[in-house]
Amino acid sequence: MEASKLPGFLLRRMVKAAIVVLAIVVCNFLLVHAAPGDPASVIAGQSGVADAVFLEQLRRQFGLDQPLYVQLWIYLKSVLSLDLGFSHRQQAPVAQLVLERLPATLLLTGAAFAFALAAGVTLGALAAQRVGRWADSVITVVALTFYATPLFWVGLMLVLVFSVWLEWLPSFGMSSVGVEMQGLEVVWDVAQHLLLPALTLGLFYLAVYARLTRATMLEVADQDFVKTARAKGVPEGRILRAHVLRNALLPVITFAGIQAGQLLGGSILVETVFAWPGIGRLAFEALLARDYPVLLGVFFCTSVMVVLFNLLTDLLYAVIDPRVEVAG
Amino acid sequence: MSLLRVEGLTVALPPGGDRPHAVEDVSFHVDAGEILCVVGESGSGKSISANAVMGLLPKGLPVRSGAISFEGRDLLSLGAEAMRRLRGQRLAMIFQEPMTALNPLMRVGDQIAEVLRVHGSGADAARRVPELLAAVNLPDPAAITRSHPFRLSGGQRQRVMIAMALALEPALLIADEPTTALDVTTQMQILRLIREIQSRRGMGVLFITHDFGVVAEIADRVAVMQRGRIVEQGPAAEVLNRPQHPYTRALIAAVPHGAAEARAAIATASVLELRGVEKTYRRGGFFGARAVVRAVHDADFVLRRGETLGLVGESGSGKSTLARCVVKLVEPEQGTIAYHGTDLRPLSRAAWKPYRRRIQMVFQDPYASLNPRRTVGDTIAEGPVTHGEPRGKALERARELLRLVQLDPGAMDRYPHEFSGGQRQRIGIARALAMEPELLIADEPVSALDVSVQAQVLALLAEIRARLELTMLFITHDLRVAAQICDRVAVMQRGAIVEQGPTSEVFAAPQHPYTRQLLDSIPGRGWTPPEL
Amino acid sequence: MRDFWRRFRRNKGAVVGLVILLLVVVLAATAPWLFPGSPWDMAGAPFSPPGEMGMLLGTDSLGRDVAAGIAHGARISLLVGAVSTVAALLVGVTLGAVAGYLGGFVDDAVMRFTEFFQTIPSFVLAILLVAIFTPSIGSVVFAIAIVSWPPVARVVRAEFLSLRGREFVQAAEVLGKSRLSIVLTDILPNALSPIVVLSSLMVASAILLESALSFLGLGDPNLMTWGFLIGSGRSVIRLAWWMSVFPGVAIFLTVLALNLVGEGLSDALNPRLARQRGGAA
């Protein structure tokens, strides 16, 4: 896309993102009200044993005796002022709980995403290049295997092999407990803790990206402009890089954008298995305690992260593909 | 010594095909400074021969025997790397589909520069690329250098392809149906361009086509292919005017001759009258710039009983949209579509239904116009059954109709994929006729067919029209076809009818400049197919 | 039909997948006879390793038979996978068909709605739904269906959109057929192949999703599931690896089989695509 049209494009996408965020807030609100029983007890985060005075106070605070649209308005206002509610279980504001845990999750998902994308695209491209030969078969089978394996089980098996049997890597947490460290030691320690969870989360998406890259590369390789390049006398290696791969990456980027949400969802499972102190772990703890405000907060926060990520991929796409604005 | 010499070339087809070899024992040669046209219908092996010369045959089609020598070197024994160095440098090729032949993500200039670069002349790319674009008569070469392909029209892209092919001044240019996907006026420009560059540089050109008009326009010599073999070859004038082989004779006999005979004026009552019909498309959604396209405007016409009116125009002229407005496949915003005086435009879906029996349509693409999951019999009987006719009776009538369109009634229980393109088009005609319509709209009914099949379907349409006294609205981009079948023609350009009148008058004395341009662009207009 | 089977058989992986899938179905069907009684009952000493005490796959912390759990869990996995897929198909096909056939404003609205559901993290939403509506087989199926329909809607919409413009559909319009009859007899039958392929993959991902929910303790508390087995083995993995390994293998094999069958169906229903994929897979 031409640089002059970028601001307008960006603005349109941001408006769209804002609408999605708003819709998520409404979705949250509806979930609270769709729950069986008293919305106040959902907000209180306690299953039936809350005291009446407290519930009454909540009802007044959220205007639960008023018409639904008033309640929605109150709720919208509070969420948009970044007040995600209060966890009465943990005696802390939800926003604070989530924000504390967010960096750990971003580290984990970021590492897993980078690994999955880099390795997935490479393997997919390799397979497409050697289509029908043994390297292709091996990659295809490996990708299918990871594609069909439950994430949490892969995590457990990695723990079993690398922590329990081989004792190479730590099996839980983000850093070693009770050890004084500084500088690079800390980084090394976190990296060791990160390896298994990031691998677990990444393997599934590696499979997804590898399969997708292989399929789109084969599809692109059949297109007319590749034949043109061949007729021009372009060497095969350059055809692959400059013509096939570049075009094949577009659907992979689109898909990676769509998958961002799944990645964050998967982190709940991985963080549970590895006791990684991120928002996924927070969600699991909230789940055990039926602490709904925290769960809703996690849902809101992850959704916003996905929207932001999609904004980024849109931007990336617009830079790579000159046709974007024409396609609308 | 010839520039290119192909001797006894045989290329195998994968097992299970309709014949063992894609091309068999094919021999021809191209000299420097001449254009050899290889002409044949689809599946005749003409493209395979061209790809074999370029060394671009797909893996499933191996060369079994024969020799290809180019500038004295045996191409078939050349290694992959040596062959690659020849391609783009000494041998160049352009393709049929300009819309997909360029990398959508790469700027036009970079794609042309790439040829120079991979053959070691990348240094003067910045200077050469605009020169090349100018040489193929593209306006503002500097701007086009920086453009991405999606900004260019089909004709412009084909010029870019030619510029790219000519970048290193190859000795031989292979053109595989380079104008088939283009409109007739653009086709003529590209043909002239190829001819001009070829004679200026003394290049040899191997030109693949299915169109004898194009052959007449451009060829020095001709080779005719049928089912993988060359059945006749010789100088263009010889083959075109005195064809020897029965197949060549049949092909040339099937070419519409393009001369419109004077017909008696038809003064019957009007069946269909369009006034002030307008259809505008607005593209773009909630966000994003809207583009407004006036698909149809200023396109009034009257169609009288028993008359055939041709709507003629290039792609995007609005002729198909206009025809679809008549049957409510497209809903215009304005105007009246009067059928025997009743305005059909405002009618609801239900109110329209009775008129479905009176107005029917035949479609362009024989491969897309039949439901692949329904038997031929059911397809034909479906219309009457929808309108309440008992199924048994409708099927009985379908059987008769198959005979009318010269198909075996045994086709009733078979599925569309078992039939050839021409046979499918007959089924489509039978489906329309099953409703016993008064008005038949034919939307490019022969443009997807090979020329010999095209002639048969046109003859069938003419016969049925006479026998059933049909009134017909005939949409076509091919002026030669229009001349053959239409009483009157209406020429469309950018959504409007710019000229209409009796076919012979419009052809003999066109009034509008666009009509003149169209007529001038008919390929091979200087050649009158011989009476055979 | 014979053609279909011939093309399906050509894909060796698909045949293997079909065999595995049939074995799982047989296991699920015969579970009450193979392992009579409740899988929740104590069958042996706690933490017996596989092969000892007559326990083929060992026992868990309460002495329950892991093999019995897997056999009974197969019933739930297949049931949840099938029912939630049917529900998601109903929603997805309807919305996709309406959007694709009607186009215009309706299409815009439906697709925005679909995009929204695709944007939000589906697993988090599923957790939230099950948690709020209290875990039961009904809420699990509901949650899985809610998060799985958007891809169906997209595929069906794309198919309908392209088929709607095809000439045989226009011909049906010109013949005067009703909208419903065009959708049901002209468009839908021709859009079926991708829907069939997609549904086999959806059953697979539904099984994965169900196991993940159960793993987090969100399964139906009265039903034995594979995910629950792994979840209960998680904290004792150093003591009893078999508790989490074998149910995981069961999930893996079933999901793998469904994916292989999906690829076979795709090859058999779209011969052209199969060739494009290089035919080796």
Side-chain angles (χ1 to χ4, degrees):
Chain A
M1 179 184 299
E2 287 147 42
S4 61
K5 297 203 173 134
L6 211 53
F9 171 80
L10 202 59
L11 190 71
R12 286 199 299 276
R13 287 300 144 112
M14 276 162 71
V15 170
K16 201 173 152 187
I19 294 174
V20 174
V21 170
L22 217 58
I24 291 164
V25 177
V26 174
C27 191
N28 258 348
F29 174 79
L30 291 177
L31 276 173
V32 171
H33 285 268
D38 184 359
S41 65
V42 173
I43 296 170
Q46 289 155 340
S47 34
V49 288
D51 73 274
V53 182
F54 178 51
L55 287 183
E56 194 49 44
Q57 182 202 328
L58 279 177
R59 273 192 201 103
R60 246 178 296 118
Q61 189 189 340
F62 287 89
L64 294 180
D65 42 3
Q66 294 181 46
L68 213 56
Y69 65 90
V70 179
Q71 297 180 35
L72 176 60
W73 178 241
I74 294 173
Y75 185 73
L76 270 176
K77 268 200 302 197
S78 64
V79 171
L80 293 183
S81 58
L82 292 181
D83 172 11
L84 298 181
F86 192 83
S87 166
H88 297 280
R89 286 290 162 124
Q90 306 212 28
Q91 287 301 314
V94 172
Q96 184 198 326
L97 288 172
V98 171
L99 284 180
E100 275 172 9
R101 302 288 196 100
L102 193 57
T105 297
L106 289 183
L107 176 65
L108 171 62
T109 47
F113 179 69
F115 159 69
L117 196 62
V121 169
T122 311
L123 287 177
L126 275 175
Q129 205 186 347
R130 292 166 175 69
V131 63
R133 286 191 268 171
W134 68 266
D136 174 34
S137 308
V138 169
I139 293 172
T140 307
V141 167
V142 168
L144 188 60
T145 307
F146 288 126
Y147 192 69
T149 318
L151 264 181
F152 51 91
W153 188 68
V154 171
L156 283 176
M157 293 305 105
L158 289 177
V159 167
L160 196 59
V161 174
F162 291 101
S163 304
V164 178
W165 291 345
L166 297 173
E167 297 182 358
W168 286 357
L169 291 163
S171 67
F172 68 93
M174 191 169 163
S175 52
S176 305
V177 186
V179 189
E180 280 290 316
M181 285 179 296
Q182 63 222 141
L184 280 178
E185 278 178 342
V186 179
V187 176
W188 176 239
D189 184 53
V190 171
Q192 277 186 319
H193 282 84
L194 179 62
L195 189 59
L196 288 185
L199 204 62
T200 305
L201 188 54
L203 281 175
F204 177 78
Y205 296 96
L206 177 150
V208 173
Y209 299 142
R211 284 158 65 95
L212 188 65
T213 306
R214 178 180 180 275
T216 49
M217 293 254 312
L218 289 179
E219 207 180 305
V220 173
D222 256 6
Q223 285 179 10
D224 286 352
F225 64 82
V226 176
K227 197 174 174 192
T228 303
R230 213 157 268 147
K232 290 199 293 198
V234 179
E236 287 298 319
R238 189 182 150 77
I239 289 181
L240 199 74
R241 273 177 285 115
H243 295 280
V244 180
L245 190 58
R246 236 185 119 200
N247 279 280
L249 278 181
L250 289 179
V252 178
I253 291 177
T254 311
F255 203 67
I258 293 176
Q259 290 266 317
Q262 311 333 68
L263 203 67
L264 279 167
S267 77
I268 294 185
L269 292 166
V270 175
E271 290 181 12
T272 302
V273 171
F274 291 95
W276 186 264
I279 52 175
R281 177 79 192 164
L282 178 69
F284 181 64
E285 287 158 2
L287 201 57
L288 292 181
R290 296 290 184 261
D291 191 350
Y292 294 115
V294 171
L295 269 183
L296 289 167
V298 167
F299 178 54
F300 176 75
C301 176
T302 47
S303 302
V304 170
M305 299 309 300
V306 173
V307 170
L308 288 178
F309 189 76
N310 282 350
L311 208 59
L312 257 173
T313 45
D314 274 355
L315 205 60
L316 183 65
Y317 207 100
V319 171
I320 297 181
D321 191 343
R323 293 161 298 184
V324 152
E325 49 160 335
V326 172
Chain B
M1 185 191 73
S2 296
L3 180 63
L4 172 75
R5 185 166 283 281
V6 174
E7 301 269 14
L9 180 71
T10 299
V11 176
L13 274 180
D18 62 331
R19 57 179 198 246
H21 297 115
V23 300
E24 199 168 349
D25 196 20
V26 159
S27 302
F28 59 84
H29 66 95
V30 182
D31 292 333
E34 75 162 356
I35 298 182
L36 171 72
C37 270
V38 176
V39 59
E41 297 188 293
S42 52
S44 62
K46 54 194 193 300
S47 282
I48 304 275
S49 314
N51 282 309
V53 174
M54 283 299 278
L56 290 178
L57 284 176
K59 284 200 187 77
L61 304 174
V63 173
R64 283 278 179 259
S65 60
I68 301 175
S69 78
F70 171 73
E71 296 184 316
R73 299 163 80 178
D74 179 13
L75 294 189
L76 290 180
S77 64
L78 229 46
E81 176 58 20
M83 195 64 213
R84 178 191 73 72
R85 258 177 284 154
L86 275 184
R87 280 200 298 264
Q89 182 133 294
R90 303 299 299 154
L91 282 166
M93 184 160 182
I94 54 179
F95 302 95
Q96 174 170 350
E97 276 299 338
M99 302 312 275
T100 53
L102 292 167
N103 185 339
L105 298 186
M106 218 181 204
R107 287 174 201 279
V108 164
D110 294 339
Q111 302 199 42
I112 298 177
E114 189 180 33
V115 195
L116 301 169
R117 203 168 303 127
V118 297
H119 293 291
S121 342
D124 41 336
R127 182 179 53 81
R128 289 278 289 137
V129 169
E131 273 178 22
L132 284 162
L133 288 171
V136 292
N137 305 332
L138 277 168
D140 198 356
I144 289 191
T145 304
R146 287 190 306 272
S147 299
H148 282 98
F150 77 98
R151 296 218 175 265
L152 310 183
S153 69
Q156 287 176 321
R157 290 188 209 194
Q158 199 59 299
R159 284 171 198 272
V160 170
M161 285 297 290
I162 294 173
M164 200 149 73
L166 299 177
L168 291 163
E169 316 213 335
L172 179 71
L173 175 69
I174 299 178
D176 188 359
E177 304 247 18
T179 59
T180 306
L182 303 176
D183 273 326
V184 53
T185 49
T186 317
Q187 157 165 297
M188 187 51 87
Q189 292 161 6
I190 296 288
L191 288 177
R192 285 191 184 129
L193 178 69
I194 291 175
R195 180 97 240 185
E196 174 209 315
I197 291 174
Q198 178 268 337
S199 59
R200 195 163 32 151
R201 302 205 175 161
M203 246 180 351
V205 175
L206 176 60
F207 195 106
I208 315 290
T209 182
H210 67 283
D211 185 342
F212 270 98
V214 170
V215 174
E217 196 65 43
I218 200 168
D220 294 312
R221 283 190 308 112
V222 186
V224 182
M225 286 193 78
Q226 180 197 18
R227 293 182 58 79
R229 290 173 174 277
I230 290 184
V231 294
E232 177 165 3
Q233 75 181 297
E238 199 68 28
V239 175
L240 286 171
N241 297 319
R242 283 175 293 283
Q244 300 302 315
H245 192 274
Y247 179 71
T248 318
R249 292 172 71 88
L251 277 185
I252 287 179
V255 174
H257 40 66
E261 48 200 275
R263 298 166 196 246
I266 293 173
T268 48
S270 112
V271 170
L272 182 70
E273 189 169 347
L274 266 70
R275 269 195 318 273
V277 172
E278 285 195 23
K279 176 69 197 174
T280 308
Y281 286 108
R282 290 182 169 77
R283 261 174 275 169
F286 293 135
F287 312 102
R290 281 165 186 246
V292 175
V293 180
R294 295 182 75 195
V296 173
H297 61 99
D298 295 309
D300 297 0
F301 67 80
V302 177
L303 184 55
R304 300 185 181 284
R305 175 170 302 151
E307 184 184 43
T308 297
L309 173 68
L311 279 181
V312 182
E314 297 185 291
S315 59
S317 64
K319 56 189 192 303
S320 275
T321 309
L322 185 57
R324 281 170 160 70
C325 285
V326 176
V327 287
K328 209 182 168 71
L329 282 174
V330 169
E331 300 190 20
E333 297 91 23
Q334 281 190 49
T336 53
I337 299 169
Y339 177 72
H340 289 295
T342 315
D343 186 5
L344 299 178
R345 193 178 70 87
L347 296 188
S348 69
R349 208 183 160 88
W352 231 103
K353 197 171 172 187
Y355 294 98
R356 296 288 180 203
R357 296 218 72 149
R358 315 295 303 136
I359 308 176
Q360 271 303 305
M361 185 154 174
V362 176
F363 292 86
Q364 170 175 5
D365 185 350
Y367 293 90
S369 60
L370 301 176
N371 187 339
R373 301 194 184 259
R374 189 170 293 140
T375 61
V376 168
D378 282 340
T379 296
I380 298 173
E382 190 180 19
V385 169
T386 301
H387 287 265
E389 205 164 292
R391 207 177 118 82
K393 195 173 153 216
L395 283 174
E396 193 42 50
R397 171 111 181 92
R399 210 175 296 274
E400 284 167 31
L401 281 164
L402 279 176
R403 264 191 293 271
L404 180 71
V405 297
Q406 295 149 23
L407 283 177
D408 181 41
M412 290 286 286
D413 299 321
R414 288 156 65 192
Y415 286 87
H417 70 87
E418 299 173 58
F419 296 88
S420 70
Q423 289 171 323
R424 291 184 203 207
Q425 206 56 315
R426 289 165 196 272
I427 296 168
I429 292 170
R431 170 177 60 194
L433 294 181
M435 301 285 267
E436 299 177 4
E438 173 190 24
L439 171 60
L440 187 65
I441 295 168
D443 183 15
E444 303 254 16
V446 296
S447 39
L449 304 175
D450 273 329
V451 59
S452 54
V453 184
Q454 179 175 337
Q456 293 162 13
V457 172
L458 280 177
L460 174 71
L461 273 174
E463 186 207 319
I464 285 171
R465 179 189 53 171
R467 193 184 321 176
L468 305 178
E469 295 174 342
L470 286 174
T471 306
M472 197 148 84
L473 184 61
F474 192 96
I475 292 95
T476 182
H477 71 281
D478 191 332
L479 292 154
R480 292 169 296 184
V481 169
Q484 190 173 326
I485 200 158
C486 300
D487 300 309
R488 285 195 305 128
V489 288
V491 179
M492 287 195 77
Q493 182 192 23
R494 284 189 232 108
I497 293 180
V498 296
E499 176 166 4
Q500 59 180 316
T503 312
S504 54
E505 279 176 31
V506 172
F507 273 61
Q511 300 299 311
H512 195 275
Y514 179 68
T515 315
R516 275 198 290 276
Q517 194 190 350
L518 273 185
L519 287 168
D520 281 343
S521 301
I522 297 179
R525 69 207 175 290
W527 168 60
T528 311
E531 292 294 328
L532 296 166
Chain C
M1 194 59 211
R2 197 181 312 139
D3 240 25
F4 168 86
W5 177 235
R6 188 175 49 76
R7 284 197 295 262
F8 183 89
R9 233 175 17 191
R10 206 182 301 153
N11 185 333
K12 295 280 174 289
V15 178
V16 173
L18 193 63
V19 170
I20 299 177
L21 194 59
L22 287 176
L23 287 178
V24 177
V25 171
V26 169
L27 179 69
T30 56
W33 291 278
L34 286 176
F35 301 98
S38 166
W40 299 94
D41 291 343
M42 192 163 169
F47 295 123
S48 312
E52 288 177 24
M53 317 262 305
M55 293 293 141
L56 187 62
L57 302 177
T59 60
D60 72 358
S61 51
L62 296 175
R64 294 176 294 216
D65 184 357
V66 173
I70 290 177
H72 284 266
R75 302 166 73 86
I76 307 304
S77 285
L78 292 180
L79 184 74
V80 170
V83 176
S84 58
T85 297
V86 169
L89 279 176
L90 282 179
V91 179
V93 170
T94 311
L95 284 179
V98 166
Y101 182 69
L102 293 181
F105 171 75
V106 178
D107 180 30
D108 255 7
V110 172
M111 285 332 283
R112 288 294 105 80
F113 185 66
T114 310
E115 262 172 35
F116 173 72
F117 267 88
Q118 258 187 329
T119 304
I120 53 181
S122 59
F123 186 58
V124 187
L125 179 61
I127 290 177
L128 207 50
L129 285 171
V130 177
I132 282 186
F133 292 102
T134 64
S136 72
I137 192 155
S139 66
V140 168
V141 166
F142 173 73
I144 295 177
I146 285 286
V147 300
S148 334
W149 65 266
V152 188
R154 288 188 88 100
V155 166
V156 171
R157 177 221 177 224
E159 285 293 314
F160 268 57
L161 208 58
S162 101
L163 285 168
R164 185 187 62 155
R166 290 276 276 285
E167 288 183 342
F168 71 83
V169 175
Q170 296 185 351
E173 294 268 0
V174 172
L175 290 178
K177 290 177 71 173
S178 71
R179 285 208 180 95
L180 190 65
S181 135
I182 290 177
V183 165
L184 292 182
T185 67
D186 286 302
I187 302 185
L188 196 59
N190 286 292
L192 227 48
S193 314
I195 300 177
V196 168
V197 172
L198 191 61
S199 20
S200 74
L201 302 182
M202 280 169 67
V203 176
S205 56
I207 289 177
L208 279 179
L209 207 51
E210 188 278 330
S211 72
L213 289 172
S214 303
F215 174 75
L216 291 178
L218 286 173
D220 192 317
N222 302 314
L223 296 170
M224 179 61 79
T225 66
W226 292 342
F228 169 82
L229 285 170
I230 302 177
S232 64
R234 177 175 71 90
S235 49
V236 290
I237 192 158
R238 282 162 201 278
L239 270 166
W241 55 268
W242 55 89
M243 277 176 62
S244 22
V245 169
F246 294 119
V249 171
I251 299 176
F252 166 67
L253 285 177
T254 311
V255 173
L256 180 75
L258 281 160
N259 275 292
L260 289 171
V261 169
E263 279 182 12
L265 285 175
S266 171
D267 286 2
L269 294 170
N270 306 312
R272 195 180 57 82
L273 277 181
R275 272 202 302 281
Q276 253 179 24
R277 291 212 322 227

